[in-house]
Amino acid sequence: MARAIAARADLLPALAETFREHGYEGASLSRISQATGLGKGSLYHFFPGGKAEMVEAVLAEIEAWFATHVFEPLREAGDPEAAIEAMFKTVTDYFRSGRRVCLIGALSLSDARDRFAEDLRRYFALWVEALAGALSRAGHPQGTATARAEDIVGGIQGAVVLARALDRPETFDRIMLSLRARGRLSPSP
């Protein structure tokens, strides 16, 4: 039975989980309807552009969450080392120690990648840029801060994939410890 929804934003969590679980192609309108409790007509009322508009709304919501909880703290923190450490805790919680699919990572690897390329690219670029800035302010050489940030963000994404594939959250936690060490300054020789 269809249910009343007050705002489009109320649908985003259910949509995100549906796309995480089934991917873009596998998330049929029937599955989306079942997950949201809305009929197809109501879904099109909220998202006239259909499934693509739903994904774009979910991606915007994810990017806004990461901007608030990850990117801005990395950019604005007076203590960049503490901000980097907080980033690791925040993403560990967000990805539930590798038990939660990164929708942006999953879309980046799927056939839907080209359809959402700008959104996907921007999310990762913002993360790398914010982390590289924090690493640089923490004392990492500017010439290597971006490469190190790319290694760390890529490592987090890989940890999510590997932990889910192996069904071993402890693998995610172990990799995160290793990546944390990459974010710290190496002792001077």
Side-chain angles (χ1 to χ4, degrees):
M1 178 183 300
R3 64 183 177 121
I5 297 290
R8 175 176 140 134
D10 296 339
L11 298 169
L12 297 181
L15 290 172
E17 291 311 313
T18 303
F19 289 118
R20 278 186 181 97
E21 184 176 337
H22 300 286
Y24 180 74
E25 295 302 328
S28 64
L29 283 178
S30 178
R31 282 186 169 141
I32 292 168
S33 181
Q34 183 178 11
T36 61
L38 295 180
K40 291 177 186 177
S42 295
L43 288 169
Y44 277 108
H45 168 76
F46 285 107
F47 302 96
K51 208 163 60 162
E53 186 177 344
M54 292 175 201
V55 169
E56 288 168 357
V58 169
L59 293 177
E61 178 83 3
I62 291 169
E63 184 178 315
W65 189 93
F66 268 79
T68 299
H69 296 93
V70 178
F71 308 156
E72 289 171 15
L74 285 169
R75 283 190 208 106
E76 298 171 6
D79 181 351
E81 290 176 340
I84 293 166
E85 187 60 32
M87 176 203 72
F88 281 108
K89 181 181 181 339
T90 300
V91 298
T92 296
D93 292 346
Y94 182 84
F95 293 122
R96 300 180 188 144
S97 291
R99 288 185 215 89
R100 184 184 208 189
V101 170
C102 175
L103 179 57
I104 294 174
L107 288 171
S108 295
L109 297 171
S110 76
D111 292 340
R113 182 227 171 272
D114 291 341
R115 179 184 298 254
F116 305 107
E118 185 178 323
D119 294 324
L120 304 173
R121 188 178 304 114
R122 183 179 54 250
Y123 165 85
F124 284 116
L126 288 170
W127 193 352
V128 168
E129 177 188 339
L131 180 54
L135 288 167
S136 182
R137 288 191 321 280
H140 289 272
Q142 283 190 326
T144 62
T146 298
R148 188 166 294 206
E150 289 172 344
D151 288 347
I152 291 170
V153 172
I156 291 168
Q157 292 298 308
V160 171
V161 171
L162 187 60
R164 284 197 45 85
L166 297 174
D167 194 22
R168 291 183 14 211
E170 64 274 12
T171 298
F172 180 88
D173 295 334
R174 182 187 53 73
I175 293 171
M176 292 297 279
L177 283 174
S178 174
L179 293 171
R180 276 183 161 105
R182 296 223 35 172
R184 294 187 192 105
L185 286 172
S186 302
S188 301

